Amino acid sequence: MTIKIGVVMDPVTRIKPCKDTTLAMLLAAQAKGWQLYYLEMGDLWLRDGRVYGRMHSCRVYDDTRHWFDLQNEWTAPLAELDVMLMRKDPPFNMEYIYATYLLEQAEQEGLLVVNRPQSLRDANEKLFTAWFPHCTPPTLVTRNARQLREFVAEQGDTILKPLDGMGGASIFRLQSADPNINVVIETLTRHEQCYTMAQRYIPEIRQGDKRVLLIDGKPVPYALARIPAAGETRANLIAGGIGTGQDLTEQDRWICQQVGPTLRNKGLMFVGLDIIGDFLTEINVTSPTGVRELDQQFGLSIGGQLMDCIEEKLR
């Protein structure tokens, strides 16, 4: 029986095909002979307790000028598919949350959703690290300005960031003598109305913010070390960082051992850990990237590994 796989994603016309992890996944599924179906957020709806989708069958190509063809439109209950990839990029806002409720309803009818909708809601990509405090640098989450000022003074060199950011947006590095401490705290907390994360600055960021990909709790054996551009604190690729593949260190593997079983139990089949030096800093569950770079540098097919895992789950 041919597997029918859908994907909920941002408009496929806007992706960068040479870097896009979702495209790599779809190429791998197509190589296995699976039928592909494309949806955007606006193509999902619920009627009388059942979730439907307006989807297009599609073909994908590893071609930077022509990477997809959308074909026949098909409207049907989502449960008529076998598996759905939830690959909508953040922001993780209420619209995203509503979509996870719809996908969870389809899950009740037997649809395998990757990643599990409830766990997408539960595992905030920054705050979820608190479940593994033995793996993280000193960390504070609060909306209280005094507590944040005291933490910056205590640590001396600190990163502050919002809990709902992505791509390095609104990340600040503060040192204890910085004259901008108050205004940064006011901006991030919106005058003590929004929770903010503070972590001790890790100087090993200069050697890279490593993205370690896990499939069903098990790590790919290489990390993508994102090296900050000159004069930049953030290593995110979207902020100008350069991605270089590296073997996992023993510490990387230990962190994966600590986190992996929880991810597997929560149905988080494709996850990207961010590791700086010896510390876990984020757990990316919504739409982790890095597959194309690692595939190219090490001759891998990470998308193929994920599809093999999905096929095993469907059995």
Side-chain angles (χ1 to χ4, degrees):
M1 180 182 72
T2 300
I3 291 173
K4 295 178 179 178
I5 181 170
V7 60
V8 178
M9 61 184 290
D10 291 305
V12 68
T13 55
R14 300 179 191 170
I15 69 172
K16 294 182 179 179
C18 62
K19 292 182 173 294
D20 195 80
T21 288
T22 304
L23 179 60
M25 293 177 176
L26 295 177
L27 287 166
Q30 183 173 271
K32 294 175 73 68
W34 297 4
Q35 295 177 6
L36 310 184
Y37 295 92
Y38 165 84
L39 305 90
E40 297 176 20
M41 290 270 281
D43 295 321
L44 302 175
W45 77 91
L46 180 147
R47 174 67 188 267
D48 299 329
R50 198 164 201 208
V51 180
Y52 295 82
R54 181 178 64 249
M55 54 197 96
H56 286 86
S57 60
C58 70
R59 290 196 61 80
V60 290
Y61 311 95
D62 195 5
D63 185 329
T64 58
R65 292 174 296 179
H66 177 214
W67 58 91
F68 73 98
D69 282 322
L70 298 184
Q71 299 167 337
N72 299 326
E73 184 178 300
W74 181 46
T75 298
L78 290 191
E80 292 191 12
L81 301 176
D82 299 295
V83 59
M84 179 69 78
L85 303 175
M86 178 48 163
R87 291 287 300 175
K88 172 71 177 67
D89 284 341
F92 188 89
N93 54 18
M94 286 307 302
E95 287 299 304
Y96 189 101
I97 290 173
Y98 296 148
T100 67
Y101 284 126
L102 298 184
L103 292 172
E104 187 174 16
Q105 188 73 358
E107 187 182 51
Q108 299 303 310
E109 294 188 63
L111 178 69
L112 175 63
V113 183
V114 180
N115 287 318
R116 182 179 293 161
Q118 179 181 343
S119 295
L120 287 174
R121 296 193 300 270
D122 289 348
N124 175 272
E125 298 191 321
K126 296 176 175 62
L127 194 52
F128 191 40
T129 58
W131 272 246
F132 311 96
H134 53 300
C135 300
T136 65
T139 300
L140 171 70
V141 175
T142 184
R143 54 202 290 183
N144 183 281
R146 177 186 55 79
Q147 292 175 342
L148 287 166
R149 286 194 297 270
E150 289 175 352
F151 186 85
V152 173
E154 172 191 302
Q155 299 299 323
D157 201 346
T158 311
I159 294 293
L160 270 66
K161 51 190 173 182
L163 295 179
D164 60 353
M166 66 163 289
S170 300
I171 291 179
F172 293 89
R173 179 182 176 187
L174 290 176
Q175 295 176 317
S176 55
D178 196 311
N180 295 305
I181 289 176
N182 287 336
V183 70
V184 168
I185 291 173
E186 289 169 5
T187 299
L188 285 175
T189 67
R190 299 180 189 173
H191 296 277
E192 300 189 312
Q193 297 304 303
C194 295
Y195 286 106
T196 295
M197 173 174 279
Q199 289 180 325
R200 186 178 70 198
Y201 174 73
I202 307 168
E204 287 84 357
I205 185 69
R206 290 188 291 271
Q207 284 78 55
D209 180 351
K210 291 178 285 188
R211 167 61 53 83
V212 179
L213 297 173
L214 287 84
I215 297 174
D216 204 26
K218 297 180 180 178
V220 173
Y222 303 98
L224 185 68
R226 297 158 297 174
I227 312 297
E232 176 62 80
T233 297
R234 303 167 300 171
N236 310 72
L237 299 182
I238 197 171
I242 303 298
T244 301
Q246 299 179 354
D247 292 329
L248 296 189
T249 66
E250 288 302 313
Q251 179 69 5
D252 296 338
R253 293 182 183 277
W254 178 81
I255 290 173
C256 292
Q257 290 170 359
Q258 305 306 302
V259 178
T262 300
L263 300 178
R264 188 182 310 115
N265 291 339
K266 284 183 167 291
L268 294 166
M269 289 181 60
F270 188 73
V271 174
L273 305 185
D274 287 352
I275 298 175
I276 303 175
D278 290 336
F279 298 105
L280 173 69
T281 60
E282 293 189 17
I283 301 175
N284 297 271
V285 302
T286 52
S287 190
T289 60
V291 163
R292 298 288 269 177
E293 292 87 349
L294 290 174
D295 280 355
Q296 291 164 5
Q297 292 185 40
F298 297 104
L300 305 175
S301 176
I302 298 170
Q305 294 175 45
L306 177 62
M307 296 309 136
D308 289 344
C309 182
I310 287 172
E311 191 169 26
E312 183 64 29
K313 296 285 184 184
L314 291 173
R315 291 197 187 106

